């Protein structure tokens, strides 16, 4: 844990339990830093099992009333919440920049993508409609209803402090569940603020609760018998741990993990267009996006001109504090993470990759305490190298070379991660083949970061998602509800009495 911050001047982020800001029972705290300056700006409580239990008790107490609130009324609360999020978009984006480091326009865009999930959740009466069949037997009807799962929990990563929590709790709550959110301890303040706004929107006390902390808080969630379902987004090792622990404890779970997203660039692609797209996908948010492109597979003659274009465009990117006008790429989230990413650049050189552009020396005058790293480009990377195998999660782009589209597809399919991928080509046939054969959850055709819009679902395959159902969209509604199938017969309708045999259509 970090050194204690000055309690006199620095705000402590509150928990939000039962409709109120609350201090934690735990006496452990961590520091929240501004990545552009390195200064400690807030401190965050690291909840213990008693704090988690208090949040779960509040969620359990709120459940019967909220579950029985008609979906249309639940949707009206979501509509009010939507308005409040829109009115507070700038403040939320500033919190994202202040704690994560990404630029303000990028933060604003990520808040917008989260708000769109709330727009989706406003349609919940329609989304909860079941099926009905008349006369499945003589005088017998059958229908389905989707009912809430109960108390749900969400555990979220540092890189989208507003958007990823909004992928989860609006859908869960609109479905009639109550919720305990545990955001990343590196970026905690936006979640408490969103819970405050949800209460202002008319959400009953206890329906949405926010706790903070590290492994201790997560373990208390995973092992709490009062929690029925867990949504997790974060790195692959923790996703796997969350998935396994929840499965052992009989909880419904979806655990989204890390990524190594490839873009395959064919020689017939518009290379200028592809390079612009790749620059944005590799270096936007300093590469700290689960859908960032971190590996480019340049096919045949595309390689040399593409690398030249990428180098020219990458070195022109303006690096600086995220709240400064004109800055295109901010710092990394913590000093520790910045140093880890810089270590991968050292490693790539040792492994024999060709360093085309080195971000390590980049300094930002006036921000010497910030966690900055410049844009970095490697060429001639091979699948045996650690810089290819590991998720670096920083502004480091690796170019691999392949002879044919087939080789490119084989390379992508051989990677254990499978979150997103993209192909750049002018050929419909090549794109169609890629779409069909690629073993990845989200695919872009001339779209570098194919993050699905809110009314589709978000999720990868293989080591990028443990579980079945993706987040938000129709799959989100399925995750947060259980189906009940009801078969109905009304007596005294001139239908024969059932015998002892298995009923069949008659
Ligand atoms: P992380 O796995 O370190 O942390 C995620 C959450 O787990 C946090 O709330 C954290 O407090 C908690 N946690 C951390 N260590 C833990 C432990 N040992 N036991 C229990 N809980 C623990 O991830 P991060 O560094 O915050 O986020 C970056 C990662 O998230 C990257 O790997 C990125 O690809 C991934 N990510 C994935 C998606 C996706 O949709 N697949 C989206 C965003 C981020």
């Amino acid at each position: 844990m970090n050194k204690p911050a000055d309690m006199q001047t620095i705000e402590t982020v509150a928990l939000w339990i039962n409709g109120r800001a609350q201090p934690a029972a735990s006496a452990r705290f961590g520091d929240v830093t501004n990545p552009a300056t390195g200064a400690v700006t807030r401190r965050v409580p690291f909840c213990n099992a008693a704090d988690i239990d208090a949040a779960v008790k509040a969620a359990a107490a709120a459940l019967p009333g909220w579950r029985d609130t008609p979906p249309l009324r639940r949707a009206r609360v979501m509509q009010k919440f939507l308005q409040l999020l829109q009115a507070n978009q700038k403040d939320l984006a500033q919190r994202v920049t202040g704690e994560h480091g990404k630029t303000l326009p990028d933060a604003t865009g990520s808040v917008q993508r989260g708000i769109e999930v709330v727009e989706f959740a406003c349609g919940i009466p329609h989304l909860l409609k079941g099926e009905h069949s008349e006369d499945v037997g003589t005088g017998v009807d059958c229908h389905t209803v989707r009912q809430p799962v109960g108390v749900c929990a969400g555990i979220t990563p540092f890189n989208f402090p507003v958007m990823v929590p909004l992928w989860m709790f609006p859908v869960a709550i609109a479905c009639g569940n109550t919720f305990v959110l545990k955001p990343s301890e590196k970026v905690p303040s936006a979640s408490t603020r969103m819970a405050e706004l949800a209460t202002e929107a008319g959400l009953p006390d206890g329906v949405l609760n926010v706790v903070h902390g590290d492994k201790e808080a997560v373990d208390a969630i995973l092992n709490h018998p009062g929690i029925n379902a867990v949504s997790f987004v974060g790195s692959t090792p923790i996703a796997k741990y969350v998935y396994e622990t929840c499965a052992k404890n009989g909880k419904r779970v979806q655990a989204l993990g890390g990524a190594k997203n490839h873009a395959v660039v064919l020689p017939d692609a518009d290379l200028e267009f592809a390079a612009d797209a790749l620059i944005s996908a590799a270096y936007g948010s300093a590469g700290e996006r689960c859908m960032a492109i971190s590996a480019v597979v340049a096919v045949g003659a595309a390689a040399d001109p593409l690398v030249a274009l990428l180098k020219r465009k990458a070195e022109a990117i303006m690096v600086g504090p995220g709240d400064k006008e004109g800055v295109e790429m901010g710092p990394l989230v913590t000093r520790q993470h910045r140093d880890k990413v810089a270590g991968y650049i050292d490693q790539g050189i040792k492994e024999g990759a060709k360093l085309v552009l080195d971000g390590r020396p980049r300094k930002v005058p006036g921000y010497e305490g910030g966690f900055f790293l410049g844009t970095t480009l490697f060429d001639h990377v091979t699948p045996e190298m650690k810089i290819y195998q590991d998720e670096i999660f920083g502004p480091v782009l690796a170019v691999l070379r392949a002879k044919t589209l087939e080789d490119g597809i084989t390379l992508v399919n051989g990677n254990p991660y499978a979150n997103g991928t993209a192909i750049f080509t002018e050929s419909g046939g090549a794109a169609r083949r890629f779409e069909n054969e690629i073993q990845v959850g989200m695919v872009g055709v001339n779209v570098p970061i194919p993050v699905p819009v809110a009314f589709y679902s978000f999720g990868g395959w293989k080591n990028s998602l443990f579980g079945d159902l993706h987040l938000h969209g129709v799959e989100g509604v399925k995750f947060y509800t259980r189906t009940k199938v009801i078969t109905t017969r009304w007596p005294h309708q001139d239908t024969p009495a059932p015998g002892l045999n298995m009923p069949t259509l008659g």
Side-chain angles (χ1 to χ4, degrees):
M1 209 188 18
N2 296 324
K3 61 188 179 335
D6 181 349
M7 294 172 70
Q8 300 302 310
T9 53
I10 290 179
E11 170 200 346
T12 300
V13 183
L15 317 185
W16 193 266
I17 296 178
N18 211 17
R20 279 179 294 284
Q22 310 246 359
S26 163
R28 286 201 310 132
F29 292 88
D31 290 342
V32 181
T33 45
N34 178 342
T37 61
V40 175
T41 52
R42 295 185 172 94
R43 57 177 211 152
V44 59
F46 283 178
C47 287
N48 59 21
D51 292 312
I52 303 303
D53 189 52
V56 176
K57 284 205 172 94
L63 184 64
W66 185 244
R67 174 193 186 280
D68 291 343
T69 301
L72 190 56
R73 288 212 188 115
R74 300 201 296 250
R76 286 183 187 140
V77 175
M78 281 295 144
Q79 285 166 19
K80 187 77 196 35
F81 181 47
L82 170 67
Q83 288 165 8
L84 289 172
L85 286 173
Q86 285 164 337
N88 287 275
Q89 186 165 1
K90 196 168 164 203
D91 166 68
L92 290 168
Q94 280 165 343
R95 287 172 190 267
V96 172
T97 296
E99 294 181 358
H100 173 277
K102 65 181 79 180
T103 67
L104 211 42
D106 188 31
T108 306
S110 73
V111 174
Q112 176 60 29
R113 291 300 292 264
I115 287 175
E116 288 167 12
V117 179
V118 183
E119 286 175 335
F120 169 77
C122 289
I124 203 67
H126 175 72
L127 292 160
L128 289 178
K129 285 193 300 196
E131 298 173 313
H132 189 111
S133 300
E134 195 178 35
D135 289 330
V136 295
T138 305
V140 180
D141 302 333
C142 193
H143 72 278
T144 62
V145 291
R146 300 205 71 96
Q147 295 190 329
V149 177
V151 176
C152 302
I155 301 159
T156 56
F158 78 78
N159 64 327
F160 285 107
V162 170
M163 184 181 82
V164 173
L166 286 176
W167 281 355
M168 299 174 180
F169 75 78
V171 181
I173 286 173
C175 287
N177 301 285
T178 56
F179 207 88
V180 177
L181 171 65
K182 205 296 290 172
S184 166
E185 66 279 26
K186 298 185 179 101
V187 294
S189 80
S191 285
T192 298
R193 180 66 186 132
M194 286 194 287
E196 200 178 345
L197 293 175
T199 301
E200 199 182 322
L203 197 68
D205 294 349
V207 174
L208 173 62
N209 307 277
V210 178
V211 293
H212 296 290
D214 58 358
K215 179 172 169 54
E216 186 177 350
V218 172
D219 283 345
I221 288 171
L222 305 183
N223 293 307
H224 199 296
I227 292 177
N228 304 95
V230 174
S231 300
F232 173 89
V233 176
S235 61
T236 289
I238 313 297
K240 194 157 182 281
Y241 167 72
V242 167
Y243 183 73
E244 288 170 353
T245 311
C246 285
K248 184 162 62 72
N249 290 335
K251 297 187 198 309
R252 180 174 288 208
V253 55
Q254 53 183 179
L256 284 74
K260 193 83 187 179
N261 304 308
H262 300 67
V264 175
V265 182
L266 297 189
D268 72 348
D270 177 336
L271 292 185
E272 187 78 35
F273 171 84
D276 280 334
L278 294 173
I279 288 290
S280 143
Y283 301 117
S285 197
E288 292 173 328
R289 289 182 181 141
C290 61
M291 289 291 274
I293 291 291
S294 50
V296 170
V297 182
V299 175
D304 288 340
L306 183 65
V307 170
L309 281 165
L310 290 173
K311 177 175 190 282
R312 178 163 59 76
K313 290 173 192 288
E315 61 197 356
I317 289 173
M318 183 165 165
V319 179
D323 58 0
K324 192 171 161 193
E325 188 87 24
V327 164
E328 294 167 287
M329 192 178 98
L332 281 94
V333 67
T334 57
R335 180 174 306 287
Q336 193 192 22
H337 186 56
R338 186 243 170 246
D339 293 347
K340 186 175 163 201
V341 175
Y344 273 110
I345 303 174
D346 303 337
Q347 168 119 18
I349 297 165
K350 278 197 211 114
E351 289 177 313
K354 183 179 172 200
L355 184 61
V356 178
L357 186 62
D358 184 359
R360 290 170 302 177
R362 179 68 76 110
K363 297 275 174 290
V364 178
Y367 291 85
E368 283 71 19
F371 314 139
F372 293 98
L373 195 62
T375 49
T376 298
L377 181 65
F378 277 111
D379 193 7
H380 294 285
V381 175
T382 62
E384 298 72 36
M385 296 178 183
K386 283 289 273 179
I387 57 162
Y388 171 72
Q389 290 166 357
D390 291 2
E391 180 186 38
I392 297 176
F393 222 55
V396 180
L397 181 60
V399 178
L400 296 91
R401 292 171 177 237
K403 285 200 174 69
T404 61
L405 170 60
E406 185 161 5
D407 291 346
I409 291 174
T410 305
L411 186 72
V412 178
N413 286 348
N415 194 286
Y417 294 109
N419 216 35
T421 188
I423 185 165
F424 287 86
T425 180
E426 301 269 302
S427 159
R432 189 172 186 280
R433 179 173 173 200
F434 185 80
E435 245 178 89
N436 178 262
E437 294 181 15
I438 214 73
Q439 304 282 311
V440 174
M442 294 170 281
V443 181
V445 176
N446 297 315
V447 173
I449 304 194
V451 176
V453 289
F455 42 98
Y456 281 81
S457 301
F458 182 106
W461 288 11
K462 302 199 290 194
N463 282 356
S464 296
L465 171 75
F466 299 95
D468 171 23
L469 293 169
H470 293 185
L471 279 160
H472 63 72
V474 171
E475 297 216 359
V477 174
K478 282 191 181 158
F479 182 78
Y480 291 122
T481 53
R482 291 186 289 196
T483 309
K484 196 178 269 177
V485 187
I486 298 149
T487 304
T488 311
R489 180 206 300 271
W490 295 101
H492 316 300
Q493 307 259 336
D494 293 333
T495 53
L500 295 189
N501 295 334
M502 183 78 184
T504 55
L505 188 69

